[in-house]
Structures are given as structure tokens and as C-alpha cells.
Amino acid sequence: MSSPDPPTEIEQLMSRGDMIKKFKELEALAILESENDQGSDLSQSTKEATDERGFLIYDTFLSNQIYFDDLKHVNYPGIRYTYPPNMFRNKEEVTLHISQDKSLGKGGILWDAAFILSEYVLFKNLLTPSSSIIELG
């Protein structure tokens, strides 16, 4: 009997969020149980930070996310993603600003696919200093 093939690089990258979701669900349950025990205000633990342009700093969102919502970022002009050195063969920290315009409807809103695409582009080392990328769904 043969063992299954190991996952490809892209399969590993695409499934990375599954474990994060499970951890966030467990964390949310722990927070809710703690809040029920202590009776304190849950909103204190869900504050998200923005940068000087008003962009949501994605790291702060992930560290405070307690539920899944497709429209979680819709009220921000964009999202700032930051990747640490050596995550994608980069020598320095990489910061991506991805803009959105909710007045355009669904086509102007950032979806999680934008984050996944940004990781793929960095993983494959496809960026240049003047790169502009459009994610079309």
C-alpha cells in the first residue's frame, strides 16, 4: 500500500489558513467563556489598528479576530500586509498596501483572495519596485 503524495508548495500555501481558522475558533470560544465568567466588555479585545493612510493593519486584525465575516474590511480604504524577513526569500520586511473602493460594489472590495494572491506573488518572487497587480476574483 503506497502512502499519499506529500502536498505541493501551492497546496501547503493554500491550506495554511485552515489551521489559523481553527486556532481562531478555539481562541474565540476561550474569550467568550472568559467574558461570561468575568462580565467584562468584549469590544475591548477587538480593536484594530490603522496606519497613517487609514489602511487596516492586517496583523492587528488577525491577532484580534474572533469571528469570520466576508465584509470584515469593507470600511477601510485598504489593507496593509506586512511580511517578516526571510518569509519569502526576502532579506527585509516587505509591506504591501492593497487599496479598495466599496463604492464600486463587490468588485471594489478586498476579499481574502487578495491576501492569498499577495502571499503567492511574494512566494514566487514576482514583485519589482514598480509592480502593480490587480486581483479579479
Side-chain angles (χ1 to χ4, degrees):
M1 187 158 157
S2 64
S3 61
D5 293 333
T8 63
E9 289 178 356
I10 195 70
E11 288 171 335
Q12 290 174 355
L13 189 61
M14 295 299 285
S15 65
R16 195 180 111 202
D18 294 343
M19 188 60 70
I20 292 172
K21 276 185 193 174
K22 289 181 184 189
F23 285 135
K24 291 296 176 187
E25 288 171 5
L26 290 172
E27 182 182 35
L29 288 173
I31 289 172
L32 289 174
E33 287 175 4
S34 172
E35 296 301 324
N36 287 337
D37 292 342
Q38 298 172 4
S40 58
D41 184 11
L42 183 63
S43 65
Q44 295 292 324
S45 64
T46 59
K47 293 187 177 161
E48 296 147 0
T50 57
D51 67 8
E52 64 282 350
R53 296 166 56 185
F55 278 41
L56 172 68
I57 300 172
Y58 200 70
D59 296 347
T60 65
F61 170 75
L62 287 178
S63 64
N64 293 311
Q65 180 182 7
I66 59 170
Y67 60 90
F68 180 77
D69 177 8
D70 279 341
L71 299 174
K72 58 190 163 270
H73 323 115
V74 74
N75 292 320
Y76 297 95
I79 300 178
R80 186 180 90 184
Y81 300 104
T82 303
Y83 301 96
N86 302 316
M87 184 169 180
F88 299 105
R89 297 180 210 105
N90 51 309
K91 292 184 173 119
E92 300 174 358
E93 182 176 88
V94 174
T95 301
L96 294 175
H97 286 86
I98 302 178
S99 298
Q100 69 177 357
D101 182 353
K102 71 178 181 180
S103 71
L104 298 173
K106 289 183 181 180
I109 298 172
L110 279 171
W111 301 95
D112 289 331
F115 179 65
I116 294 168
L117 176 64
S118 68
E119 284 193 341
Y120 177 79
V121 167
L122 287 171
F123 182 74
K124 291 295 185 178
N125 203 22
L126 301 174
L127 284 180
T128 65
S130 61
S131 292
S132 290
I133 300 171
I134 188 167
E135 186 270 320
L136 298 174

